[in-house]
Amino acid sequence: MMNDQSLTPLHLEFLTSVVGEEHVSIKDSDLEQHSKDESFHDASRPAVVVWPGSAAEISSILRYANQQHLPVTPWGAGTSLEGNPIPLFGGIVLDTLRMDKIFQVRAEDFQVDVQPGLRYKEMNAALAKHGLFFAPDPGANASIGGMIANNAAGTRTLRYGTTKDNVLRLEVVLPSGEIIRTGTRSKKTSSGYDLVHLFIGSEGTLGVVTEATLRLAPLPEKFSAAIASFTTLEAATRVVSSIIGTGLTPAALEFLDPATVRAINATGEFELREYPTLLMEFHSATDAGLKEELKEVEILCKDGGCLSFDAGLGRSERDRLWRARHKTYDILVRSNPGSAYLIADVAVPVSEYSRLVAAADQALRERDLKGYLVGHAGDGNLHPLIPYTPGDSASYAIALAADEKIVETAIAMGGTATGEHGVGIGKRRFMILEHGSSLNTMRAIKATLDPNGILNPGKIFEPDEH
Ligand SMILES: Cc1cc2nc3c(=O)[nH]c(=O)nc-3n(C[C@H](O)[C@H](O)[C@H](O)COP(=O)(O)OP(=O)(O)OC[C@H]3O[C@@H](n4cnc5c(N)ncnc54)[C@H](O)[C@@H]3O)c2cc1C
């Protein structure tokens, strides 16, 4: 059990000796800034924030914190949506901001070695000179360390995979202070336990990532986008599984319900049809390949009863559309200033997507909740935004009940409570339902690597489970 010991002058002196005075702060503004991510979860302040500059410094801090039983929570860009980096037990927040270097681009192998504090958008801007990019694209400008820790994904997962499909090698500092390197630069390996993927998605509870070798993709040469609108949720979502079922590989296939389209139109930048909508993007090496794929998708959409199918939008229109999709969360949250939102993140096999969307729609309607349904449909991932009034416990309880209903439905369909945002705080309560007795194996791994429970305590497992 982790000991929630508060910070003493001796602790501060030690931290200062490791990272230097200018990289340690107990200022109110810094503690406040590191008390909350982008989620609806309550803030919790750390006792101190440190900005280490190397794996060696992180190793010294973790070794010391382990001896002193001090909680340590790694921090990337703080853009999580499940409270993942909130320091629930106070202690030290370890912000990787200064560790933002690109060590080496190996264009011939489609690989890059980077530090964890690097933001993926800055990395991709640098990689563009080499004609390459890192495909996972969460809407916010997340850090590589945070993306690895949450196994982040995004609109392009359908074609390029999630973060876990694009990491080859990691350097990790364990809670004991030991620095390990795991994985190889080879595309394939069958060598022993797959520790790389143990750390990916572990939300900073097993170790601190200090370096990563990422797999890159060539920037697409030809691409096009298409928008299809449908009269019903069912028609739109059924087409999703027929597109995937025929083996077509759009780079992105996103679903928006009419309420979401209305909110996007209300920004004044768009005049989309206010119906259930699919946004699609296609990448290809040739114009002919692109045309063929678009044609097939158009036939599937028309067979599925679409109202309209607009394809082949130019580059600037396609960029504008995807900017709107990436800003959807902000647009929706801003559209109702009096409301806060629980953001669900369920994912199911794509053949169940239509039933999942129908169940989520019903869960909102039954409770008279004016929420939104938006998702990475091609991956079977849905984000219902469930409204509640902040400070009103009755309205929060109703939102929680809707969330629970949607998650239970997804799990019953063979899916998951969280497709990409991680367990953090909000999904802990579904872990037993989703994992059953294998949760004990997860607990055993945590106890082996972090016997004192110092790393990001209170996440993934309920706090009393440490
Ligand atoms: C508008 C908006 C849109 C979003 N869209 C998406 C989306 O489409 N897909 C998606 O997947 N997510 C999305 N997100 C969520 C978020 O961007 C991702 O979860 C992202 O991976 C968080 O990265 P971060 O750098 O902000 O990490 P943080 O929030 O700082 O931390 C995330 C977790 O990683 C741990 N951590 C951080 N650095 C390290 C490290 N070096 N070693 C070990 N653990 C570490 C933290 O302790 C925490 O548990 C969105 C968020 C917003 C605000």
Side-chain angles (χ1 to χ4, degrees):
M1 167 64 84
M2 197 254 342
N3 175 2
D4 182 23
Q5 185 178 328
S6 57
L7 214 72
T8 66
L10 270 182
H11 295 143
L12 270 182
E13 204 176 296
F14 174 81
L15 294 172
T16 304
S17 74
V18 175
V19 295
E21 204 173 331
E22 67 277 36
H23 301 129
V24 178
S25 176
I26 52 168
K27 277 202 311 220
D28 261 359
S29 55
D30 289 324
L31 302 183
E32 188 61 29
Q33 197 197 332
H34 292 85
S35 68
K36 196 163 171 28
D37 58 3
E38 299 280 345
S39 71
F40 64 95
H41 295 292
D42 291 342
S44 170
R45 279 181 173 216
V48 61
V49 181
V50 295
W51 288 268
S54 67
E57 289 181 5
I58 293 178
S59 164
S60 300
I61 294 168
L62 288 192
R63 185 171 294 116
Y64 181 79
N66 205 21
Q67 285 159 2
Q68 302 287 320
H69 290 208
L70 291 172
V72 180
T73 304
W75 187 279
T79 67
S80 287
L81 294 173
E82 265 308 346
N84 322 53
I86 295 178
L88 281 181
F89 288 78
I92 303 167
V93 156
L94 205 152
D95 186 331
T96 58
L97 181 74
R98 291 172 60 218
M99 295 174 68
D100 64 349
K101 291 187 190 53
I102 296 180
F103 287 126
Q104 196 184 1
V105 181
R106 285 184 301 285
E108 66 286 5
D109 285 328
F110 298 91
Q111 291 176 14
V112 64
D113 297 336
V114 297
Q115 286 189 306
L118 183 66
R119 304 304 196 246
Y120 88 88
K121 288 187 184 171
E122 274 82 66
M123 179 176 77
N124 276 345
L127 290 171
K129 292 188 220 101
H130 302 269
L132 297 170
F133 77 120
F134 181 62
D137 61 334
N141 194 7
S143 71
I144 297 301
M147 288 176 68
I148 290 171
N150 283 355
N151 188 22
T155 55
R156 293 188 292 236
T157 300
L158 187 54
R159 187 177 177 114
Y160 299 97
T162 65
T163 298
K164 84 172 159 47
D165 303 309
N166 292 287
V167 177
L168 292 167
R169 198 191 63 98
L170 291 177
E171 179 185 82
V172 180
V173 185
L174 300 180
S176 62
E178 186 187 351
I179 302 177
I180 62 164
R181 289 180 188 84
T182 182
T184 72
R185 292 189 171 124
S186 162
K187 193 174 169 184
K188 59 198 282 193
T189 169
S190 303
S191 183
Y193 299 139
D194 188 349
L195 297 185
V196 171
H197 288 97
L198 176 64
F199 289 106
I200 298 174
S202 66
E203 300 184 30
T205 63
L206 297 180
V208 180
V209 172
T210 47
E211 194 184 315
T213 297
L214 307 177
R215 184 201 298 263
L216 305 174
L219 278 169
E221 287 182 23
K222 310 274 180 197
F223 51 86
S224 66
I227 308 179
S229 53
F230 299 79
T231 41
T232 62
L233 292 178
E234 194 192 355
T237 50
R238 278 200 182 287
V239 165
V240 171
S241 80
S242 52
I243 292 174
I244 304 300
T246 42
L248 290 164
T249 51
L253 174 45
E254 301 282 300
F255 164 73
L256 311 173
D257 75 349
T260 303
V261 179
R262 264 194 299 283
I264 291 177
N265 280 347
T267 62
E269 281 183 63
F270 293 91
E271 287 177 10
L272 303 172
R273 284 169 170 252
E274 293 179 358
Y275 287 98
T277 296
L278 298 180
L279 303 181
M280 292 165 264
E281 182 172 320
F282 303 88
H283 296 172
S284 175
T286 62
D287 280 331
L290 211 50
K291 272 194 196 135
E292 202 159 304
E293 207 166 11
L294 266 182
K295 191 76 225 152
E296 277 189 60
V297 169
E298 183 172 2
I299 291 169
L300 289 172
C301 287
K302 289 194 167 149
D303 285 352
C306 73
L307 274 176
S308 61
F309 183 88
D310 298 319
L313 309 164
R315 182 178 202 121
S316 61
E317 191 54 21
R318 166 261 200 190
D319 287 350
R320 203 164 71 97
L321 195 62
W322 288 107
R323 258 200 309 281
R325 171 62 188 91
H326 270 145
K327 285 196 317 199
T328 301
Y329 170 71
D330 289 335
I331 292 170
L332 298 182
V333 170
R334 273 204 319 266
S335 64
N336 289 304
S339 290
Y341 291 88
L342 285 182
I343 301 174
D345 174 33
V346 282
V348 293
V350 77
S351 60
E352 297 283 12
Y353 198 64
S354 197
R355 286 206 308 131
L356 175 70
V357 171
D361 184 50
Q362 191 183 346
L364 295 177
R365 280 176 197 279
E366 273 173 4
R367 294 168 180 82
D368 206 16
L369 293 168
K370 300 214 173 347
Y372 300 97
L373 300 175
V374 46
H376 309 304
D379 308 327
N381 191 188
L382 183 71
H383 297 308
L385 269 74
I386 310 170
Y388 67 94
T389 309
D392 177 345
S393 56
S395 114
Y396 185 61
I398 293 170
L400 269 184
D403 181 40
E404 205 161 295
K405 178 75 195 161
I406 294 167
V407 171
E408 284 169 3
T409 304
I411 292 175
M413 289 172 171
T416 175
T418 171
E420 55 182 23
H421 296 165
V423 179
I425 297 168
K427 297 296 181 288
R428 293 177 306 198
R429 66 191 204 280
F430 301 114
M431 289 295 276
I432 287 181
L433 181 66
E434 183 167 338
H435 298 286
S437 61
S438 72
L439 192 57
N440 291 332
T441 308
M442 293 193 203
R443 288 192 190 108
I445 291 168
K446 170 73 176 169
T448 301
L449 290 181
D450 186 14
N452 294 324
I454 61 159
L455 263 186
N456 203 2
K459 307 301 165 50
I460 299 186
F461 311 103
E462 299 288 354
D464 58 2
E465 289 179 335
H466 282 284

